[in-house]
């Protein structure tokens, strides 16, 4: 018999994961058992502000009643049919999500990496069948420090050694150029007539919330148009209100879904979504495109057993409803400005933080120590002790991305915790 202590103490639960699970993550030492809105609780009942939001999957807040309601209702009705048959929620969801984001068609998948793989396949097929590139010659341009997921093909074009090493041989057909460098992209286009697409994150999340110049994303789209290539936006982390607009490619458009796209909107040819598409309940991803691109996909040429399943469809519609109903994009925009203001005040008081950057509620601070140092990790452990959960990325960068349902008062409370913690270190 397993005693209650063994199943309920953080220490024992961490030991279980350590013994029986593959060691593909290095988690902060906290074991979470419950979540509601902007809060999570550990098994001992301590409450924390969640400042990671499962890498921006929980934009709508933990266990949002409307999303959980849709999940429960659909779970009791029909969960999976496979695409061998039609199902009663898929068409509705497809209409909903395409109208919401302004595209003709959607291809539903499950995880983010599958969404990226799907976009790569569509771009290549489009290249051969529409652009007229010779078979197997298609090239997709990607950027240094990119993060698009963990499949064999995706890590093939990563330059993160940890993600790549000893997983070869690697998939061909990708060229990597510096991020935020339109001249480099232009040169690649000059030298390679067989480019079928350019794949980018509008803001590089995993790289440490790297925000490019305002001209970069529109510049990519323009170069793609000039050279008859597809502009592929991976908005898995930046999309769905996280950066203060429905999508990061919306730029400074201050709407929240179902919008008339503003002047700052750069329309991708292929839009990849995941994470918050389900509000953190269930893996749901999607690729959106217009008919002349999506019609290269024919029966049997791509698919997934769970893609477009009834449960996913219902959950995604509820999750996107919440983004609109609660004006999460506007809230992210407003709170983001306050957050960066508060962090800039802190930078004035402490030499330990050198920079805050980000957009909306996707932000990061840079810790004044080498990426090899444990300072950022130690700060995160201390933040945890003070009631706030965040995780370092690339050694000396700490990403701050709370659920977008946060109130202004709560955000100030969080900034107080961060400030107190950092000042304790200095
Ligand atoms: C998280 C993420 C992915 C991968 O999504 P998974 O669901 O983990 O496969 C791809 N691209 C970006 C930008 C991401 O943040």
């Amino acid at each position: 018999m397993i005693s209650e202590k063994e199943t309920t103490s953080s220490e024992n639960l961490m030991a279980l994961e350590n013994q029986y699970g593959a060691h593909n993550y290095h988690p902060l030492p906290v074991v979470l058992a419950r979540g509601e809105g902007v809060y999570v609780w550990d098994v001992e009942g301590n409450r924390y502000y969640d400042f990671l939001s499962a890498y921006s999957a929980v934009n709508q807040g933990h266990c949002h009643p409307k999303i959980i309601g849709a999940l429960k209702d659909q779970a009791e009705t029909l969960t999976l049919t496979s695409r061998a048959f039609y199902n009663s929620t898929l068409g509705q969801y497809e209409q909903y999500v395409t109208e919401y984001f302004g595209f003709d068609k959607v291809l539903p998948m499950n995880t983010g990496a599958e969404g990226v793989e799907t976009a790569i396949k569509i771009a290549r097929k489009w290249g051969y069948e529409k652009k007229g590139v010779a078979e197997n010659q298609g090239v997709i341009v990607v950027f240094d420090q990119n993060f698009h997921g963990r499949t064999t093909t995706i890590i093939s074009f990563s330059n993160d050694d940890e993600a790549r090493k000893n997983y070869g041989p690697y998939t061909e057909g990708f060229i990597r150029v510096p991020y935020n460098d339109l001249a480099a992209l232009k040169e690649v286009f000059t030298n390679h007539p067989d480019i079928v697409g350019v794949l980018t994150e509008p803001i590089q999340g995993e790289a440490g919330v790297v925000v490019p110049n305002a001209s970069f994303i529109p510049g990519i789209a323009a170069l793609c148009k000039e050279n008859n290539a597809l502009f592929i936006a991976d908005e898995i982390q930046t999309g769905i209100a996280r950066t203060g607009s429905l999508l990061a490619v919306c730029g400074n458009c201050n709407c929240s879904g179902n919008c008339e796209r503003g002047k700052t909107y750069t329309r991708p040819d292929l839009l990849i979504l995941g994470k918050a598409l389900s509000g953190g309940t269930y893996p749901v991803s999607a690729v959106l495109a217009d008919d002349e691109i999506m019609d290269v996909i024919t029966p049997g040429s791509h698919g997934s057993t769970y893609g477009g399943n009834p449960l996913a469809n219902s959950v995604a519609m509820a999750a996107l409803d919440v983004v609109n109903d609660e004006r999460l994009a506007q809230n992210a925009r407003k709170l983001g400005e306050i957050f960066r203001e508060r962090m800039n005040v802190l930078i004035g008081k402490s030499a330990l933080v050198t920079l805050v950057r980000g957009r909306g509620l996707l932000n990061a601070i840079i810790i004044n120590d080498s990426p090899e140092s444990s300072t950022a990790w130690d700060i995160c452990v201390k933040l945890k002790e003070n009631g706030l959960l965040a995780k370092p990325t690339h050694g000396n960068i700490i990403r701050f991305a709370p659920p977008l349902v946060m109130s202004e008062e709560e955000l100030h409370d969080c900034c107080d915790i961060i400030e107190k913690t950092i000042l304790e270190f200095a």
Side-chain angles (χ1 to χ4, degrees):
M1 267 246 336
I2 299 170
S3 76
E4 192 175 344
K5 187 169 179 300
E6 275 177 74
T7 54
T8 57
S9 89
S10 286
E11 210 177 305
N12 283 310
L13 292 168
M14 289 191 281
L16 283 180
E17 284 198 30
N18 206 35
Q19 183 174 352
Y20 296 107
H23 292 181
N24 57 331
Y25 282 91
H26 178 40
L28 214 70
V30 61
V31 183
L32 301 175
R34 188 159 76 84
E36 189 184 322
V38 299
Y39 298 114
V40 285
W41 285 262
D42 68 15
V43 292
E44 279 81 19
N46 299 305
R47 192 183 80 172
Y48 306 92
Y49 284 109
D50 179 1
F51 256 62
L52 185 63
S53 306
Y55 301 96
S56 298
V58 193
N59 289 359
Q60 297 88 336
H62 288 277
C63 298
H64 194 290
K66 181 161 186 179
I67 304 172
I68 298 303
L71 181 83
K72 280 182 175 168
D73 285 350
Q74 191 61 50
E76 285 167 354
T77 310
L78 181 67
T79 56
L80 183 63
T81 57
S82 86
R83 297 290 301 281
F85 313 110
Y86 289 84
N87 74 62
S88 61
T89 60
L90 180 56
Q92 250 178 288
Y93 165 61
E94 289 172 334
Q95 180 179 23
Y96 182 103
V97 75
T98 51
E99 285 176 6
Y100 198 100
F101 292 100
F103 288 86
D104 292 343
K105 280 195 168 52
V106 62
L107 199 163
M109 296 294 280
N110 311 287
T111 66
E114 285 176 323
V116 174
E117 288 275 351
T118 299
I120 290 168
K121 288 172 79 174
I122 294 171
R124 285 178 167 183
K125 208 157 187 288
W126 173 88
Y128 303 129
E129 294 174 11
K130 300 277 174 116
K131 180 169 173 166
V133 172
E135 204 180 334
N136 292 328
Q137 297 305 304
V139 169
I140 292 177
V141 182
V142 297
F143 295 95
D144 288 348
Q145 321 302 333
N146 69 71
F147 180 85
H148 297 286
R150 300 294 198 167
T151 63
T152 318
T153 288
I154 293 171
I155 59 108
S156 292
F157 57 80
S158 163
N159 62 315
D160 177 348
D161 216 39
E162 254 173 1
R164 262 174 75 86
K165 194 159 189 262
N166 290 338
Y167 288 132
Y170 302 110
T171 307
E172 294 173 44
F174 299 93
I175 294 178
R176 210 174 51 238
V177 300
Y179 193 65
N180 202 17
D181 185 344
L182 283 175
L185 182 60
K186 196 168 180 175
E187 189 175 325
V188 162
F189 267 118
T190 312
N191 300 330
H192 297 272
D194 294 339
I195 292 173
V196 298
V198 177
L199 169 64
T200 191
E201 302 154 85
I203 292 171
Q204 289 188 326
E206 296 308 300
V209 190
V210 179
V211 184
N213 299 334
S215 61
F216 183 57
I217 296 301
I220 294 176
L223 283 171
C224 284
K225 192 159 196 165
E226 240 171 75
N227 293 281
N228 192 26
L230 302 181
F231 167 41
I232 311 165
D234 177 348
E235 291 249 20
I236 292 167
Q237 186 160 161
T238 53
I240 315 187
R242 170 55 56 186
T243 63
S245 45
L246 180 61
L247 299 169
V249 291
C250 290
N252 290 316
C253 176
N254 191 16
C255 70
S256 72
N258 290 329
C259 55
E260 299 297 319
R261 304 289 168 209
K263 277 205 188 79
T264 53
Y265 176 55
T266 305
R267 192 173 193 272
D269 299 302
L270 290 166
L271 172 65
I272 312 166
L273 299 172
K275 293 197 167 115
L277 191 51
S278 69
T281 56
Y282 192 84
V284 183
S285 67
V287 176
L288 292 119
D290 283 344
D291 284 331
E292 67 265 25
I293 296 166
M294 199 64 101
D295 70 14
V296 300
I297 295 295
T298 49
S301 65
H302 190 53
S304 162
T305 303
Y306 274 81
N309 73 75
L311 199 52
N313 304 334
S314 293
V315 159
M317 283 189 277
L320 291 172
D321 269 346
V322 168
V323 172
N324 264 344
D325 293 349
E326 303 187 16
R327 297 175 61 81
L328 296 186
Q330 285 89 339
N331 196 48
R333 175 175 300 233
K334 186 181 82 181
L335 295 196
E337 275 158 22
I338 296 169
F339 180 79
R340 288 185 296 279
E341 227 169 78
R342 286 284 313 257
M343 291 303 109
N344 276 317
V345 171
L346 172 59
I347 288 167
K349 292 186 197 173
S350 167
L352 197 53
V353 184
T354 56
L355 183 74
V356 59
R357 66 184 177 213
R359 201 195 292 166
L361 280 177
L362 183 61
N363 295 288
I365 60 171
I366 315 296
I367 301 302
N368 190 11
D369 208 335
S370 76
E372 291 73 38
S373 74
S374 69
T375 309
W377 175 270
D378 297 340
I379 290 170
C380 287
V381 171
K382 204 82 192 154
L383 281 170
K384 179 221 141 199
E385 284 161 18
N386 290 334
L388 187 147
L389 298 180
K391 190 90 197 288
T393 175
H394 287 257
N396 64 331
I397 302 170
I398 303 176
R399 172 174 29 199
F400 288 122
L404 310 181
V405 292
M406 184 165 273
S407 70
E408 196 171 327
E409 196 186 352
E410 287 163 339
L411 182 79
H412 277 295
D413 192 25
C414 294
C415 291
D416 291 344
I417 293 173
I418 295 165
E419 180 166 316
K420 177 183 149 210
T421 306
I422 297 279
L423 294 177
E424 275 172 12
F425 260 82

